[in-house]
Amino acid sequence: MALCRVWTFQSDGELHRDLIFAENDSCLVSFLQYVLKRKRDYIKNYVTVYTDTEDGVETQIESINSLVKREDVFLEESMKKEIYRSIDQFFSESGEFFKTYNIPYKRGILLYGRPGNGKTTLVKSIASSINAPVAYWQITEYTSSYTIKEVFSSVLKLAPMVLVIEDIDSMPSGVRSVFLNTLDGATSKEGVFLIGTTNYPEKIDPALMNRSGRFDRAYKIKLPTTELRYQYLIAKKLDRILADERIREVAEVTKDLSYAQLNELYTSIALEWHYEQQVDIAKLCGDLKSVQYKQQIQSWDDDVASIGFIGFQED
């Protein structure tokens, strides 16, 4: 490492000033690069959270409290394989794949679909399973051209890394052009794997998908199939309460329920079994579907193709 000395001066017992002395500019640059590398290595076990506030970007470092394994993610197998292959290749051998095939070293994927179907779980599994820094950017009404530039300036220092923008549809309309121009910059996303999520794809600016280098692929996170519902219930260890044939019955009669709703159904089954030692599956499912109907989420049945998405479509 380049030779540098760090001196701390104290004045009147209160003020501290850290000064860095180096033999030359090259030594100083090497030292600062070393500091950034140490910081990048340190935060691999944490998530950096950027929140746009009235006073600018607030930065917090949060530990990853609960690890989500890839096997805990229930998705259509081909989609799951493609997403993880893309993320693994991005961080493999310092992006050598991209250099070999002359591909810009930046990727962007958009996850969209009804709430409760696993978008956040998928993102958490990515954060838990890669050896790279992960940052979350919380868009708010205070997001501005200044905060956009500040966030991208900060994440580039940590690259290669993952930047997650949840509920990207909440980007204020007045700064969307600045955001798009930033994505289009020659080096603005170099080494950044961008993941955007939304529950409301109809609110997404189609311009996000109409040019490469912004979001390269969009994936619709669908409602679980019968087989995925069965696998999810087995993973919840419902077999401690119900026989396998009854679990398959539950999987059959829970069509149109999300994973979040299946989790609520599991909780209801466990409670009823704990107190009654018997379970009325038909009643519990009926109650849950009644709530689902009242929420009136049928607007999600609109044709996704009309908003310009390219990804996995309904069969």
Side-chain angles (χ1 to χ4, degrees):
M1 187 185 74
L3 177 61
C4 288
R5 292 185 177 87
V6 179
W7 295 83
T8 300
F9 293 89
Q10 186 170 353
S11 175
D12 299 328
E14 295 181 358
L15 180 61
H16 291 265
R17 289 184 180 146
D18 291 333
L19 303 178
I20 300 176
F21 294 91
E23 292 183 346
N24 50 52
D25 290 346
S26 177
C27 288
L28 181 59
V29 170
S30 297
F31 175 75
L32 293 177
Q33 290 175 339
Y34 169 76
V35 171
L36 280 175
K37 181 180 183 301
R38 287 292 301 271
K39 178 182 178 181
R40 186 174 182 277
D41 290 340
Y42 170 76
I43 64 174
K44 285 179 182 178
N45 296 323
Y46 299 85
V47 172
T48 304
V49 180
Y50 299 105
T51 304
D52 293 337
T53 71
E54 189 174 10
D55 298 319
V57 179
E58 180 181 287
T59 304
Q60 292 181 314
I61 305 297
E62 299 181 2
S63 60
I64 301 177
N65 295 322
S66 57
L67 298 179
V68 178
K69 299 178 181 178
R70 294 188 176 188
E71 53 264 34
D72 296 330
V73 176
F74 296 89
L75 283 178
E76 178 185 320
E77 191 58 36
S78 60
M79 181 191 302
K80 182 177 178 180
K81 182 178 180 180
E82 181 173 321
I83 291 174
Y84 284 126
R85 175 181 289 175
S86 178
I87 197 83
D88 288 340
Q89 191 62 67
F90 192 84
F91 294 102
S92 175
E93 300 176 352
S94 300
E96 193 60 37
F97 167 84
F98 293 83
K99 298 174 186 176
T100 300
Y101 293 96
N102 196 29
I103 300 173
Y105 189 33
K106 50 187 179 181
R107 292 288 291 170
I109 64 173
L110 183 67
L111 309 175
Y112 68 100
R114 293 182 183 178
N117 278 329
K119 295 186 295 297
T120 300
T121 299
L122 173 59
V123 170
K124 287 182 177 179
S125 76
I126 291 173
S128 300
S129 62
I130 62 172
N131 186 30
V134 176
Y136 277 72
W137 181 15
Q138 296 183 348
I139 303 295
T140 72
E141 68 271 24
Y142 298 115
T143 298
S144 64
S145 58
Y146 170 77
T147 61
I148 291 172
K149 293 175 182 177
E150 186 173 350
V151 168
F152 275 95
S153 175
S154 297
V155 300
L156 281 173
K157 296 175 183 177
L158 304 176
M161 56 87 68
V162 171
L163 174 61
V164 180
I165 310 177
E166 290 196 322
D167 301 322
I168 197 170
D169 54 272
S170 62
M171 178 76 67
S173 58
V175 297
R176 288 179 183 175
S177 60
V178 176
F179 178 65
L180 294 175
N181 290 335
T182 301
L183 294 184
D184 292 339
T187 60
S188 61
K189 272 180 55 189
E190 187 73 20
V192 177
F193 195 106
L194 182 63
I195 302 176
T197 73
T198 179
N199 295 329
Y200 306 101
E202 68 275 8
K203 296 181 180 180
I204 290 288
D205 187 338
L208 278 173
M209 296 300 301
N210 290 342
R211 185 180 299 180
S212 61
R214 292 175 178 177
F215 286 98
D216 306 292
R217 293 298 305 270
Y219 297 95
K220 182 175 183 179
I221 309 302
K222 304 177 185 178
L223 287 167
T225 63
T226 301
E227 181 59 28
L228 285 174
R229 293 195 297 273
Y230 170 76
Q231 293 177 16
Y232 180 80
L233 293 171
I234 290 296
K236 296 290 292 183
K237 301 189 184 304
L238 187 57
D239 52 354
R240 293 180 296 181
I241 300 174
L242 302 179
D244 186 75
E245 60 181 22
R246 293 203 69 193
I247 296 176
R248 290 196 176 276
E249 290 177 9
V250 174
E252 289 286 347
V253 301
T254 50
K255 182 182 178 181
D256 297 330
L257 294 188
S258 67
Y259 288 114
Q261 292 168 320
L262 285 176
N263 185 63
E264 177 59 28
L265 177 61
Y266 168 78
T267 300
S268 299
I269 291 174
L271 281 169
E272 188 163 311
W273 175 258
H274 181 75
Y275 288 106
E276 307 294 339
Q277 293 299 297
Q278 60 182 2
V279 180
D280 188 339
I281 297 296
K283 181 179 182 303
L284 293 178
C285 288
D287 291 344
L288 198 58
K289 288 193 173 185
S290 177
V291 172
Q292 179 199 33
Y293 176 76
K294 292 176 182 179
Q295 291 175 338
Q296 296 183 342
I297 57 175
Q298 69 272 16
S299 60
W300 280 94
D301 293 333
D302 293 341
D303 182 11
V304 177
S306 64
I307 55 176
F309 280 5
I310 303 173
F312 285 81
Q313 304 297 326
E314 295 281 10
D315 295 332

